[in-house]
Amino acid sequence: MGKNIRKLHESFQHALRGLGLCIHGERNFRVHMVAAFYVTIFALIGRASATDAAIFCICFGLTMGAELMNTAIERLCDRQASGYDGFVRNAKDIAAAGVFVCAVACAAVGVCIFIAKGVLVVAIQFLLMHLWAAMALLVTVPVALWFIFHYGRIQ
């Protein structure tokens, strides 16, 4: 039993290491993280339902999981290719297209929830009535941009 627990623990360690590698080295993954952050904030202040929140969680997991798989495919392809290889290029483009399809589908879900259900209107009304919250949210934008474009860069 102890050996199984240790292996499970090691599996989690390896998965978290992979997540850290992707956060540190992949700008597009950080874009997805920032988008998930702002969607979550607007969903909370727009009073999205628990069902809507669950749908957003599925979307976040789908898109970020696809980005993780894309990164793994790209790294394996880069490791195997010695110079330009059209087959490797196609594989990497197809993997990137998978992320794109997931992201577009999740954006469509977001539009449906935020627009059709009125969550965005409620969020904007809240921010207009509570300018301190709007200012606090605005302050996060430079931090988010730094995180996307500069975090993980080798100086």
Side-chain angles (χ1 to χ4, degrees), residues 2 4 23 28 35 48 52 83 96 107 118 123 126 128 136 139-140 144:
N4 290 337
I23 292 169
N28 289 344
D52 295 337
F126 177 88
L128 290 174
V139 167
T140 67

Side-chain angles (χ1 to χ4, degrees), residues 51-100:
T51 302
D52 295 337
I55 292 168
F56 283 138
C57 287
I58 292 167
C59 286
F60 300 155
L62 176 68
T63 303
M64 288 186 216
E67 187 65 52
L68 288 163
M69 293 302 294
N70 178 52
T71 299
I73 290 167
E74 286 182 350
R75 290 194 181 181
L76 282 172
C77 286
D78 290 344
R79 175 87 172 152
Q80 290 302 112
S82 57
Y84 178 80
D85 183 334
F87 188 79
V88 167
R89 177 185 179 200
N90 291 344
K92 290 170 73 172
D93 288 350
I94 292 167
V99 177
F100 179 74

Side-chain angles (χ1 to χ4, degrees), residues 11 22-23 48 86 137 151:
S11 295
C22 206
I23 292 169
L137 191 58
Y151 180 81

Side-chain angles (χ1 to χ4, degrees), residues 131-150:
L131 291 179
W132 63 269
M135 295 306 291
L137 191 58
L138 194 59
V139 167
T140 67
V141 172
V143 175
L145 291 173
W146 174 86
F147 178 67
I148 290 170
F149 294 107
H150 296 287

